[in-house]
Amino acid sequence: MGEKREGRSRDEAERREGGLHVLGAIWGGFATTLKHLFRRPITQQYPEVRRSLPERARGRIILTRDPKGDERCVACELCSAVCPVSCISMQAAQREDGRRYALWFRINFARCIFCGLCEEACPTLAIQLTPDFEMIKADPLDLLYEKEDLLVDHCGKNTYYDYQEHCGTGEKGMRPGELPPVDPKTNLP
Amino acid sequence: MPRLTIDGQVIEVPPGTKVIDAAEALGIVIPRLCYHPALGPAGACRLCAVSFLDGPVKGVLMSCSIEARDGMVVSTEHPEAVSFRKQVIEWLMMNHPHDCPVCDEGGHCLLQEVTVASGHCRRRYPGPKRTFVDQDLGPFVQQEMNRCIHCWRCRRFYQDYAGYRDFGALGIGWRTYFGRATSGVLESPFSGNLVDICPTGALTDKPSRFMARRWDVERAPSLCIHCSLGCNVTVSAHLREIVQVEARYNGDVNGHFICDRGRYGFDYANHPLRPRSPAVMGEETSWSKAIAQAVAGIEEVTRAHGPKAIGVVSSERASLEAMVTLSLLCEETGWEGPAFFQDEETLVKNRLLAQVALSHGIAGLREVEKADLILIVGTDPICEAPLLALAIRQAWRRGAWVGALDPRPIELPLTFEQSGLWDEELKKALLKGAQREEGLEEVLPGWKEALDRSREIVVILGPTVVDISSLRRCGEFVSKLGKKARIFPVFRGPNSLAASALSRESTFRSLARKIREGKIKALLLVEADPFHGTKMRGELEASIRSLELTIVIDYLPSEVVKRAHILIPSATIYEGGGSFINQEGRLQRASPVHRGGIPLRRNLQGNLRPPRTFAKGPPGETAKSSWQVLLELGERIGKGLGIEDKEDIWKVARERFPFLWQVEPGGRISWEGGGVQEEAMEEEEDPSQSSQEMRVLLVTSTFAGEELSQYSSKLDPVRNEARAFFNEEVASQRGLRRGDRIWIRMGDVRVPFSVKTSPKVPSKLLILDPGNEGLWREVREVSKTIGWTEIERA
Ligand code: SF4
Ligand code: SF4
Ligand code: SF4
Ligand code: SF4
Ligand code: FES
């Protein structure tokens, strides 16, 4: 019984105090509003004003080129494999010089969720997300980007990596870190 | 029976079992790269190390090389073994180019799998990598030697298992190179197996190079229908195109391997000219219109001339479902047919062969492998049933004696005796051979001795070059050899056995006769091309032209398709699946692989990209199997069979044709041959007896002459030219040498041939292999004999 009474009295005390709190909060709110009324606004007038987003912001996807200016993508299909919404498709093919490349490469941005997993999976650093997020189209078909829409003429975020230097089509034994080719027809040491 | 403990589980295995297999029987898969059940252990990769804790051997040892023994206690997860395996991987990857993204094996690579499983992800060794220069190994196998881990599987398969010598290991130690002495096309017709067997991307499939990743393809278990063996395969389709066929293990049939015809013959399904949409008089039209036209046509002919005026033709490549539907439909409607074979002779031969084989105990590839005496009569294994040659070789490696009676110069990857006997002499020899007289010993030295010590005899028998009475004689011969002898029949098509069981009297020739007599006015051809391999092209063309109505249901751009009034495309085995009965009477089923349609590759637009349009279904989808089309036709002309789906067909067939269907898929049927009338054929007399002319024998070769694979562009690079085989002496008397070019006049066409000579060819015989066809297609009639006046030097 005593407990109960005690409890009730505590409730009452809280209610009284709570009333004070509410009042305090309301005044605090008004005060803040009042304060901001005399500050300079921080809202930017998009689209008149466009902020530059951090380099790693995840927006429209591009296919970059290696430092030599050649396509980086080798159509390994790892990005399309990892893509959780399956919006990347391509067909690998062999170029005249033996290099593997994408005959066609298509990203359906109507489906893309800009998770960045493709960029993470890409062994050649070809596929990269850019901070550009402004992709509004009236027709979903216009959000279907082909290789020519995706391929850019720069290296993107990484300016030095060249996959082909390590595992490419270059002459056997001439790439960095390789011994000259074995001559299988001799048994001499 | 040794009992051993692996990871705490006890298992008893047959003596001689390797520890790696014993573990697998328990469901424990020990990583391996060089071990392969068909090739045995090599101990080359050191990856299958496990810890032997107790028993006859102890320590970390290779489970693939050690036989299970009593009392062994094996741990696959012992820290010592695990770290050993981890180091092996790291060491194997030391020289690896790490180029998975551009490697076609990536995604189904054994090396990749074990590397990821071991946790190795960073190359710690800073030194340089070993490199090799690659070779061009021909159209099928792509080499990238830097990826090789020296498991020796390729060499062991190519030289030991398959018996070809032009690919092997060069050099020593870590510089060992797996390739040929110089770049060049691999000689073996089994070279594609290198792709399956290489556990890395060192040897990959060239025709499907860069086409698709394993995780992107539609795959399904299927069957090879390029010969009568019915090898099991796995087929991959990507973007509406069949891209790759691989061997699928079936211990009862093909084992682990298939031949290159089976592996690269699939491309007929992607053929640019393949009929994709129904057509009436060559004009593309809709399904409903084409069916309506066909129904109207059939009804009109039936009204005017009765149901017997409609002939029905199918072939040995049709699925069992199609054959059964067609047979039932003919019964229901009273149409003439179905005819599955070209002529009476072929029909009788096939039936007889089936009967003889089934009543003497039929042999399959497994029995061949186990045999210790193999006699090949009238068959060229490499050409007619390629994988059979591999099975014969396995028997030969175990010490079997192999002999062949065939007029063709047979080539097999093993040592064997051959005699070019045929016809009368063959009959005589078989007669004598059975009575253990010297008859066969004379022509096949070693026969008698081999016969005396043999326990399991297999006689391989084919119906193409042997005539009817020799076939019958062969049956008698085999029964004289006693219980231990079996017959391995080699048929022409994948479903020949079923075709001979379901055949009535009709053959294509008999229907053609009725067309000429004016009794047949309309022809329904279901997956059949009478022009394929015909000797009577002129006659055939005239008959077909005189028809009022030709309805063709097929998936090949065949010659008869071009002449069809109404064309209804059907699904291939890859789209529709189907059941087939192979040469040993085994009922097997293929699953559909994909829905079909025009390959996207053919549909690329403008800037080489897929079309940017929305569509409800893929273009050119022809997923209707021929039996479905037939059911629809039957329904529409009021002769419904009450069949809805495949299950129904099987149910009906089980009642109506119990001899074909009382087994579950995978089992062997037991058909007693269904009786062959003795008088079915009067034998033709030998026209060459009296004249200076040579008798002509038409044969096919491995990569040219089989109906489906001849439409496969993948095989184009290995098809042989037209060849004429002469007896060596006869040829030299006429001044002809091997490799000479000649023209042979046939009617008003001169066909070019390249001369081949062999002492084995009988002197009164001229063996012609049309090879890559070409001018051959113009020949209106192939005469039975050819004289020297018709042969001239080019
Ligand atoms: S992961 Fe990179 S290299 Fe591979 S296909 Fe995608 S973009 Fe090309
Ligand atoms: S062989 Fe295997 S591990 Fe090597 S590159 Fe190819 S996929 Fe990768
Ligand atoms: S080429 Fe392939 S199969 Fe041959 S040794 Fe190298 S890894 Fe093994
Ligand atoms: S042996 Fe015959 S069934 Fe087997 S893969 Fe070759 S063609 Fe196909
Ligand atoms: S699998 Fe045993 S050593 Fe290679």
Side-chain angles (χ1 to χ4, degrees):
Chain A
M1 275 300 145
E3 248 179 45
K4 205 172 176 190
R5 200 181 304 126
E6 206 187 290
R8 193 184 296 143
S9 64
R10 199 165 67 206
D11 280 355
E12 273 163 27
E14 270 177 12
R15 208 177 300 133
R16 247 191 336 271
E17 248 179 55
L20 277 181
H21 269 305
V22 169
L23 276 184
I26 289 173
W27 285 121
F30 278 128
T32 310
T33 313
L34 208 65
K35 206 160 72 199
H36 279 285
L37 270 180
F38 301 101
R39 273 203 175 167
R40 271 191 41 219
I42 57 162
T43 313
Q44 289 177 344
Q45 291 307 312
Y46 180 85
E48 288 80 19
V49 183
R50 290 175 182 196
R51 251 177 88 185
S52 65
L53 294 177
E55 198 188 8
R56 285 166 60 193
R58 302 195 306 265
R60 180 174 55 86
I61 295 170
I62 52 169
L63 287 175
T64 61
R65 290 178 184 272
D66 61 28
K68 294 200 192 88
D70 216 334
E71 289 168 27
R72 263 179 174 155
C73 174
V74 293
C76 67
E77 315 211 16
L78 288 176
C79 51
S80 69
V82 79
C83 177
V85 291
S86 300
C87 69
I88 308 180
S89 47
M90 77 196 72
Q91 175 67 58
Q94 191 166 12
R95 223 163 60 174
E96 236 133 73
D97 58 359
R99 188 153 149 173
R100 184 174 167 137
Y101 80 113
L103 183 66
W104 53 268
F105 192 109
R106 177 181 268 189
I107 298 181
N108 184 355
F109 281 117
R111 249 200 264 171
C112 177
I113 54 167
F114 304 100
C115 63
L117 287 180
C118 50
E119 178 170 351
E120 223 172 287
C122 182
T124 65
L125 305 186
I127 198 165
Q128 296 181 5
L129 279 78
T130 64
D132 173 19
F133 57 88
E134 297 167 312
M135 305 171 74
I136 305 109
K137 301 276 153 71
D139 183 352
L141 263 187
D142 290 340
L143 283 167
L144 208 58
Y145 276 46
E146 304 290 347
K147 186 171 159 187
E148 59 265 29
D149 308 324
L150 298 164
L151 193 64
V152 294
D153 55 0
H154 54 81
C155 299
K157 288 171 236 185
N158 181 301
T159 51
Y160 56 87
Y161 183 65
D162 186 359
Y163 175 84
Q164 300 289 338
E165 249 178 30
H166 305 276
C167 319
T169 46
E171 206 177 319
K172 294 285 190 81
M174 301 313 244
R175 292 165 295 202
E178 284 187 346
L179 292 170
V182 163
D183 176 8
K185 290 192 183 154
T186 170
N187 281 352
L188 294 174
Chain B
M1 296 272 277
R3 266 169 78 88
L4 68 165
T5 315
I6 303 174
D7 285 353
Q9 302 179 58
V10 180
I11 188 170
E12 205 165 304
V13 288
T17 311
K18 302 284 188 249
V19 174
I20 198 169
D21 286 334
E24 202 164 327
L26 282 172
I28 304 166
V29 180
I30 300 173
R32 82 280 310 262
L33 287 169
C34 69
Y35 179 71
H36 187 283
L39 307 177
C45 71
R46 317 313 283 171
L47 187 62
C48 62
V50 294
S51 280
F52 290 79
L53 303 175
D54 203 0
V57 289
K58 288 212 185 83
V60 175
L61 294 163
M62 300 307 125
S63 60
C64 72
S65 317
I66 290 185
E67 279 178 12
R69 303 242 292 277
D70 240 348
M72 278 180 167
V73 178
V74 179
S75 166
T76 65
E77 286 166 345
H78 193 276
E80 219 182 335
V82 171
S83 94
F84 185 96
R85 293 200 296 260
K86 214 175 143 116
Q87 282 168 41
V88 167
I89 301 248
E90 192 166 355
W91 154 65
L92 285 176
M93 292 301 287
M94 216 169 73
N95 282 308
H96 190 279
H98 296 79
D99 59 347
C100 299
V102 291
C103 174
D104 252 346
E105 194 86 352
H108 59 281
C109 173
L110 202 52
L111 179 62
Q112 202 177 40
E113 213 165 274
V114 293
T115 307
V116 172
S118 80
H120 170 68
C121 61
R122 200 161 286 275
R123 187 173 184 260
R124 289 187 295 168
Y125 170 67
K129 292 178 184 178
R130 171 198 60 205
T131 57
F132 295 101
V133 174
D134 298 327
Q135 289 177 337
D136 183 356
L137 297 177
F140 298 146
V141 181
Q142 175 77 36
Q143 191 193 33
E144 169 56 82
M145 257 308 284
N146 284 2
R147 298 181 188 133
C148 173
I149 48 116
H150 294 87
C151 69
W152 286 73
R153 274 190 189 188
C154 51
R155 202 221 78 126
R156 285 185 288 151
F157 168 76
Y158 202 85
Q159 297 205 355
D160 305 349
Y161 195 93
Y164 290 80
R165 310 287 302 173
D166 61 309
F167 175 99
L170 304 154
I172 48 167
W174 84 321
R175 297 177 312 181
T176 311
Y177 185 89
F178 293 89
R180 292 165 48 95
T182 52
S183 278
V185 182
L186 291 171
E187 283 163 15
S188 166
F190 306 102
S191 62
N193 289 305
L194 292 175
V195 172
D196 282 356
I197 210 162
C198 176
T200 73
L203 302 171
T204 51
D205 193 51
K206 207 181 247 180
S208 70
R209 187 160 158 83
F210 299 164
M211 294 262 235
R213 287 277 180 222
R214 180 56 55 90
W215 57 74
D216 277 337
V217 297
E218 295 168 84
R219 298 180 95 216
S222 187
L223 297 171
C224 173
I225 51 170
H226 298 288
C227 83
S228 63
L229 297 185
C231 293
N232 289 211
V233 295
T234 307
V235 178
S236 303
H238 184 53
L239 301 174
R240 311 196 287 269
E241 181 173 2
I242 303 294
V243 292
Q244 198 184 5
V245 169
E246 291 153 292
R248 176 163 59 96
Y249 176 73
N250 183 338
D252 293 331
V253 187
N254 54 319
H256 291 273
F257 305 111
I258 56 172
C259 74
D260 286 356
R261 176 156 102 201
R263 191 179 294 267
Y264 301 113
F266 62 83
D267 207 32
Y268 65 89
N270 308 328
H271 200 286
L273 299 177
R274 178 179 157 187
R276 298 284 184 177
S277 92
V280 174
M281 306 305 285
E283 294 277 318
E284 286 198 4
T285 176
S286 69
W287 273 92
S288 52
K289 276 214 189 99
I291 297 267
Q293 284 267 1
V295 170
I298 290 172
E299 277 172 350
E300 201 184 304
V301 173
T302 317
R303 216 171 313 118
H305 312 282
K308 285 277 167 221
I310 298 171
V312 178
V313 183
S314 188
S315 76
E316 297 150 87
R317 69 175 153 96
S319 69
L320 206 42
E321 285 80 3
M323 287 185 175
V324 165
T325 317
L326 209 49
S327 301
L328 295 174
L329 199 60
C330 283
E331 255 170 47
E332 195 69 23
T333 53
W335 294 344
E336 198 74 39
F340 294 110
F341 294 97
Q342 274 278 351
D343 48 34
E344 285 81 355
E345 193 187 345
T346 326
L347 168 62
V348 172
K349 274 185 185 176
N350 273 282
R351 272 217 196 143
L352 192 62
L353 180 59
Q355 187 186 36
V356 164
L358 284 156
S359 58
H360 284 90
I362 203 160
L365 289 168
R366 280 300 82 70
E367 281 85 11
V368 171
E369 279 183 6
K370 278 193 239 125
D372 52 13
L373 191 163
I374 296 171
L375 183 66
I376 303 167
V377 183
T379 314
D380 186 348
I382 288 276
C383 295
E384 293 175 46
L387 209 73
L388 173 59
L390 273 197
I392 301 174
R393 180 173 160 86
Q394 302 325 305
W396 176 80
R397 286 173 77 197
R398 293 193 189 106
W401 182 91
V402 183
L405 297 171
D406 194 289
R408 287 169 279 184
I410 295 180
E411 281 168 24
L412 287 176
L414 50 106
T415 335
F416 65 107
E417 294 295 336
Q418 191 196 342
S419 145
L421 290 191
W422 80 312
D423 237 32
E424 288 309 313
E425 287 173 346
L426 175 65
K427 268 173 253 172
K428 265 183 239 149
L430 286 177
L431 204 64
K432 283 190 193 164
Q435 292 159 353
R436 303 212 169 208
E437 285 173 23
E438 298 298 306
L440 272 184
E441 176 72 27
E442 261 169 37
V443 290
L444 299 173
W447 159 260
K448 214 157 170 240
E449 197 200 320
L451 186 63
D452 287 339
R453 66 176 168 81
S454 65
R455 277 168 222 278
E456 307 228 7
I457 305 176
V458 171
V459 176
I460 294 166
L461 193 52
T464 33
V465 301
V466 178
D467 62 11
I468 294 175
S469 63
S470 301
L471 268 183
R472 199 167 280 135
R473 195 57 39 79
C474 210
E476 289 160 19
F477 166 70
V478 171
S479 47
K480 294 240 178 66
L481 289 178
K483 275 235 162 67
K484 57 185 181 175
R486 286 163 173 271
I487 291 185
F488 183 103
V490 176
F491 296 98
R492 199 177 70 133
N495 225 352
S496 298
L497 194 56
S500 33
L502 289 171
S503 267
R504 310 282 153 72
E505 279 63 53
S506 296
T507 61
F508 184 73
R509 185 72 67 76
S510 75
L511 294 185
R513 212 177 298 128
K514 287 190 181 157
I515 295 176
R516 271 196 310 278
E517 289 164 8
K519 287 189 192 144
I520 287 184
K521 300 284 182 196
L523 216 50
L524 171 65
L525 296 116
V526 182
E527 293 174 355
D529 177 17
F531 286 96
H532 170 71
T534 182
K535 295 178 197 160
M536 301 289 192
R537 175 172 306 267
E539 200 182 302
L540 202 62
E541 236 158 83
S543 318
I544 297 227
R545 210 172 301 126
S546 70
L547 284 169
E548 280 173 22
L549 177 68
T550 319
I551 306 173
V552 178
I553 304 175
D554 205 348
Y555 48 79
L556 288 180
S558 70
E559 286 185 66
V560 76
V561 160
K562 289 177 207 137
R563 294 169 171 81
H565 296 138
I566 299 171
L567 165 67
I568 302 175
S570 68
T572 62
I573 185 173
Y574 308 122
E575 292 124 31
S579 311
F580 292 82
I581 294 182
N582 81 348
Q583 113 327 300
E584 49 162 342
R586 198 177 292 280
L587 176 63
Q588 303 192 96
R589 260 174 216 174
S591 313
V593 179
H594 69 152
R595 283 176 64 199
I598 297 169
L600 180 66
R601 186 184 293 271
R602 298 207 190 289
N603 223 7
L604 294 185
Q605 298 184 339
N607 215 350
L608 283 185
R609 64 183 186 202
R612 295 170 65 90
T613 45
F614 287 119
K616 279 195 183 141
E621 191 181 0
T622 58
K624 267 190 198 162
S625 295
S626 52
W627 58 266
Q628 283 168 310
V629 181
L630 288 171
L631 286 179
E632 199 174 328
L633 270 184
E635 197 89 14
R636 295 282 298 274
I637 54 169
K639 305 280 181 192
L641 299 172
I643 292 174
E644 292 278 307
D645 53 14
K646 264 191 196 166
E647 294 300 324
D648 284 350
I649 297 191
W650 292 333
K651 210 156 67 208
V652 176
R654 216 165 266 140
E655 287 160 20
R656 295 293 318 281
F657 312 106
F659 48 93
L660 290 182
W661 293 81
Q662 78 285 58
V663 288
E664 284 300 303
R668 279 188 190 179
I669 61 158
S670 54
W671 176 54
E672 288 308 331
V676 177
Q677 295 96 336
E678 290 290 318
E679 284 76 37
M681 275 292 299
E682 68 264 28
E683 278 160 35
E684 293 167 29
E685 74 209 74
D686 183 350
S688 70
Q689 302 283 308
S690 48
S691 70
Q692 270 295 308
E693 309 209 307
M694 288 177 290
R695 273 180 65 184
V696 173
L697 184 62
L698 271 190
V699 299
T700 56
S701 51
T702 315
F703 297 122
E706 190 269 324
E707 188 175 3
L708 296 172
S709 64
Q710 87 179 5
Y711 293 98
S712 173
S713 65
K714 312 282 181 210
L715 286 173
D716 284 344
V718 291
R719 280 192 233 280
N720 58 285
E721 51 187 354
R723 301 176 298 179
F725 296 90
F726 291 89
N727 177 283
E728 205 163 72
E729 250 171 66
V730 173
S732 68
Q733 277 167 16
R734 300 276 172 173
L736 285 180
R737 259 173 303 138
R738 184 182 285 254
D740 283 355
R741 315 278 318 170
I742 52 167
W743 295 96
I744 299 182
R745 198 195 314 276
M746 296 183 191
D748 45 5
V749 191
R750 287 193 318 163
V751 188
F753 284 94
S754 144
V755 173
K756 302 274 170 211
T757 61
S758 162
K760 285 171 190 156
V761 179
S763 51
K764 287 254 170 164
L765 192 64
L766 173 60
I767 301 173
L768 296 182
D769 167 14
N772 220 352
E773 303 233 357
L775 270 182
W776 184 261
R777 286 188 188 241
E778 320 261 297
V779 177
R780 302 188 60 78
E781 186 176 340
V782 184
S783 47
K784 292 204 174 75
T785 61
I786 281 181
W788 283 96
T789 45
E790 278 137 324
I791 300 175
E792 53 189 274
R793 238 171 226 286

